[in-house]
Amino acid sequence: MAEAGPVDDAFPQKRLGEQLLTEERLSRRILRDETLLVLALSLGASGVSALISFVGSVTRPGGLKDQAATLNASAAPGRPWLDLAWQLFGITTALVPVALVAHFLLREGRSLRTLGFDRTRPWPDLGRGAAVAAVIGSTGIAFYLAARGLGFNLTVVPEALPDVWWKYPVLILSAVQNSVLEEVIVVGYLLRRLDQLGWGTGASLAASSVLRGSYHLYQGIGGFVGNMVMGVVFVHLYRRWGRVGPLVVAHSLLDIGAFVGYGLLAGKVDWLPTA
């Protein structure tokens, strides 16, 4: 009978180390893949769409400012109830990626509260958001008018809905939907995942900001640059406050001001460009 060889006391530890390394690599791959899937189903796809739209605009005869980018248009002209149904359908389905993010966070024992998207601090969120909106809103309008005047931007038409009773409620809902989708995914979720994947602070800031600018490229170079700068500011504020709540408030106020303001002022003031 053959003599048994010496027992390798390090073998179990070696197997355990290999298993932990495999699990770490698998976990990183899962985090990477799910992040890419979330972006592919939401704002990453919007970035590609905006790039294609921009190429179409710059290759079309005439300058950019002579072309229009309409944000909230009628989905069923002349049929207000069907139009309303389509508007609400679009707003609701656009938030599905946020629900997907909530699901992924839940799997790791977390929730959207981890990103600071909750109602635990309503007044600080409202106050900070309003202050941010006031600063960015005033500079943003000036930047847009300058970019359009220099031929770097299309004429942005924030709304082209019919004059029906649901027009302004839908515009407000659309503004809130945009804000929740963008801030939860582009700031809170993306920065969390990039941190978990070992990205540096500067690299994750650049990724979030460029992504924000990319899906506004359909508006022109001005839209890309302006929103990228806004992205830098929002990432810094999120790192400081640890909450997307104030950013959702700020973004909502900015979009409500743009959508509703355009609906009320278009054609009544000289400084506001119209299509």
Side-chain angles (χ1 to χ4, degrees), residues 72-136:
N72 294 282
S74 174
R79 306 182 68 183
W81 285 105
L82 182 62
D83 199 348
L84 175 60
W86 277 119
Q87 299 294 336
L88 296 177
F89 173 78
I91 291 170
T92 304
T93 55
L95 290 174
V96 171
V98 177
L100 184 60
V101 164
H103 169 72
F104 285 144
L105 290 173
L106 187 63
R107 284 196 320 174
E108 58 178 295
R110 304 291 181 176
S111 68
L112 291 177
R113 179 174 293 185
T114 306
L115 309 180
F117 185 61
D118 53 36
R119 294 179 294 177
T120 58
R121 304 183 62 189
W123 296 115
D125 286 351
L126 287 171
R128 288 171 170 174
V132 172
V135 175
I136 291 182

Side-chain angles (χ1 to χ4, degrees), residues 127-190:
R128 288 171 170 174
V132 172
V135 175
I136 291 182
S138 56
T139 56
I141 291 174
F143 182 80
Y144 160 67
L145 294 175
R148 180 184 178 276
L150 293 171
F152 295 143
N153 222 76
L154 283 75
T155 299
V156 178
V157 180
E159 71 87 15
L161 295 177
D163 290 324
V164 291
W165 65 269
W166 50 259
K167 173 178 179 175
Y168 292 108
V170 162
L171 289 175
I172 293 172
L173 287 175
S174 177
V176 174
Q177 170 257 299
N178 288 341
S179 308
V180 172
L181 177 67
E182 294 185 35
E183 305 317 324
V184 168
I185 291 180
V186 178
V187 179
Y189 178 72
L190 181 60

